[in-house]
Amino acid sequence: MKIPLYKPYIGNEEISAVMRVLQSKKLTRGQETEEFEKEFAKYSKKKYAIAINSGTSGLHILVRTMGWKEGDEIITTPFSYIASANALLFEKITPVFVDIDISTLNIDIKKIEEKITPKTKGILLVHILGLPADVTALKKIKEKYNLQIIEDACESIGVIGDDFKVSQIGEASVYGFHENKQMTTFGEGGMIVTDNNDFAQKCRSMRDQGRSLKKDWINNVTLGFNFRMTEVQSAFGREQLKRINDFLEKRERLSEKYASLLSDIKGITTPQQMTPLRRSWFLYFVVFEKKEIRDYVHKELEVVGINSSINYFPPIYNFPMYVKCKKDCVNAEKISDTLLALPMYFEMNDIEVEEIVKVIKNSLIKFI
């Protein structure tokens, strides 16, 4: 593609960091990972950070750490990458899908209580497409029903603060570092963060085959996984973390450029028109009035070498492994049919944004 949907930034610093690890001949369980964890804990304003090989692995570990088990029900969103709900299915836990808010695309807080039953143990909260969910409202529900919360922040890395409330309500949170994210750790990777020492210890053990963290480390004390992050990934990630604010600021500028060119086009709704809330721009997207228009624009972009995606996200309950789940989320269905993801990455420029918007405008002439 002439303009890809995403492209990771790889600078000389990242290349040097990888070479440093290769020359050290220490490729796993080393100092790079320990330092990356310390640096990320500081960045995310958490006491503990545990590096893992993917965000999916982090969610799976946390589901185990929470003690959620077969027979439990966990409330979550159907509008997410399937990995979030899969973390529940791995442990034979029943995901209970609650429809999304049409303006934020996050779980609709007002619809959660009607889905709570005596089997409900918690909420797997997804901050979708870089937009923090309403944690203030969620806190009341959490306390009222004595629920545990895992935060899936895999698309929502950002500077924590009063106007960016990620990792502020859950017992623990997970960040993802796939190559399509705001920062990456050599293509794959993730990080669990928490203020709970007991959770942190369990996660460290579970990512490494359930080994003891004491001197007798070869003693396996629980059923665990091989979910470790390598030294190459950690070294790469440390360099990316140093410039994360630059990455986020560039994506913010690109989003503003998109919005300035798209906001007056009839039949298209931009993220900024949907909600003014602050977002970490995982990707840029637009919502069309009809599926047929969205699909046509997608094909027209493809013809000229511009990659876009109509796959963010099919409602999870439509996949065959979720056949027993209720399919009653009208907003999730509507957005899935009409959302188009557009290119966004650090090295992208304004001219490319203008070219993309030009193709979109020309495509829409057919429907006027």
Side-chain angles (χ1 to χ4, degrees):
M1 285 291 174
K2 180 172 62 176
I3 303 178
L5 186 62
Y6 61 84
K7 182 169 64 174
Y9 175 80
I10 303 175
N12 291 331
E13 295 84 355
E14 284 83 355
I15 294 171
S16 295
V18 170
M19 292 303 299
R20 180 177 72 238
V21 173
L22 297 180
Q23 290 166 354
S24 76
K25 295 183 172 58
K26 180 63 176 174
L27 302 182
T28 189
R29 293 199 188 102
Q31 190 68 28
E32 294 287 352
T33 299
E34 291 180 9
E35 292 302 317
F36 185 34
E37 289 175 335
K38 291 176 184 177
E39 291 158 6
F40 199 87
K42 182 178 180 180
Y43 174 81
S44 61
K45 299 182 180 179
K46 289 292 176 180
K47 292 181 180 178
Y48 311 102
I50 303 94
I52 61 275
N53 63 358
S54 73
T56 306
S57 297
L59 291 172
H60 194 172
I61 286 175
L62 282 180
V63 167
R64 281 265 187 101
T65 301
M66 295 294 163
W68 298 345
K69 58 187 184 301
E70 186 174 2
D72 291 342
E73 293 180 353
I74 301 299
I75 287 172
T76 192
T77 175
F79 187 71
S80 171
Y81 185 48
I82 195 172
S84 56
N86 280 354
L88 302 172
L89 226 55
F90 287 146
E91 299 300 316
K92 299 181 179 179
I93 296 163
T94 302
V96 177
F97 294 111
V98 173
D99 204 2
I100 60 173
D101 182 303
I102 201 69
S103 62
T104 67
L105 309 189
N106 276 311
I107 193 168
D108 190 335
I109 310 298
K110 299 185 295 297
K111 296 179 180 179
I112 288 178
E113 288 192 83
E114 65 190 51
K115 295 292 184 78
I116 294 176
T117 74
K119 294 182 179 180
T120 305
K121 295 298 186 292
I123 300 172
L124 200 164
L125 178 66
V126 182
H127 302 288
I128 198 69
L129 298 175
L131 183 68
D134 187 350
V135 298
T136 302
L138 272 169
K139 185 177 180 181
K140 296 177 182 178
I141 296 175
K142 177 183 180 181
E143 293 173 350
K144 180 178 179 180
Y145 294 96
N146 192 28
L147 301 176
Q148 294 175 308
I149 293 179
I150 293 173
E151 292 185 56
D152 179 344
C154 289
E155 298 174 0
S156 301
I157 188 170
V159 180
I160 309 302
D162 292 338
D163 62 343
F164 195 79
K165 295 184 178 181
V166 168
S167 299
Q168 295 189 21
I169 188 174
E171 276 66 28
S173 304
V174 180
Y175 291 91
F177 304 134
H178 184 268
E179 67 174 2
N180 66 356
K181 299 297 195 299
Q182 293 90 327
M183 64 167 278
T184 185
T185 48
F186 209 63
E188 300 283 356
M191 192 75 74
I192 298 169
V193 297
T194 182
D195 287 324
N196 187 310
N197 180 59
D198 183 50
F199 282 177
Q201 294 288 77
K202 288 180 179 179
C203 290
R204 290 187 193 284
S205 172
M206 207 176 298
R207 72 168 172 188
D208 197 7
Q209 304 291 8
R211 288 174 169 174
S212 169
L213 299 178
K214 299 178 182 179
K215 290 183 179 180
D216 59 339
W217 61 269
I218 198 63
N219 180 31
N220 293 69
V221 296
T222 188
L223 181 63
F225 307 94
N226 182 3
F227 285 167
R228 296 184 302 272
M229 178 179 284
T230 68
E231 287 292 274
V232 167
Q233 288 174 290
S234 295
F236 194 101
R238 292 180 69 192
E239 295 303 323
Q240 294 262 299
L241 187 60
K242 289 177 184 177
R243 55 167 63 93
I244 183 61
N245 290 340
D246 292 336
F247 292 161
L248 295 176
E249 288 172 6
K250 176 61 180 293
R251 287 170 175 263
E252 179 71 32
R253 291 199 298 274
L254 289 171
S255 74
E256 291 172 355
K257 181 67 175 180
Y258 266 124
S260 69
L261 298 174
L262 289 165
S263 58
D264 293 333
I265 301 177
K266 185 179 180 181
I268 288 180
T269 302
T270 68
Q272 291 93 334
Q273 290 170 325
M274 296 168 72
T275 175
L277 296 174
R278 184 182 168 209
R279 184 189 301 268
S280 171
W281 291 96
F282 163 52
L283 53 77
Y284 197 83
F285 65 91
V286 289
V287 176
F288 291 84
E289 289 182 338
K290 297 180 180 180
K291 181 179 186 298
E292 63 175 307
I293 301 176
R294 188 274 309 266
D295 292 351
Y296 181 78
V297 172
H298 169 62
K299 290 178 181 178
E300 289 297 293
L301 287 166
E302 189 176 55
V303 167
V304 296
I306 298 171
N307 200 353
S308 62
S309 178
I310 59 175
N311 296 318
Y312 287 94
F313 299 99
I316 293 173
Y317 54 64
N318 284 337
F319 290 102
M321 59 285 289
Y322 293 91
V323 67
K324 294 181 181 180
C325 296
K326 291 184 178 180
K327 302 181 179 182
D328 57 354
C329 298
V330 177
N331 289 342
E333 296 277 356
K334 179 180 179 180
I335 291 297
S336 176
D337 283 345
T338 55
L339 184 145
L340 181 68
L342 299 174
M344 176 174 276
Y345 47 91
F346 183 66
E347 294 173 288
M348 193 174 179
N349 58 51
D350 285 356
I351 294 175
E352 290 170 318
V353 175
E354 291 168 0
E355 183 176 354
I356 292 166
V357 174
K358 182 179 179 181
V359 175
I360 293 174
K361 286 182 176 180
N362 289 339
S363 300
L364 291 175
I365 292 174
K366 175 181 177 180
F367 299 93
I368 295 176

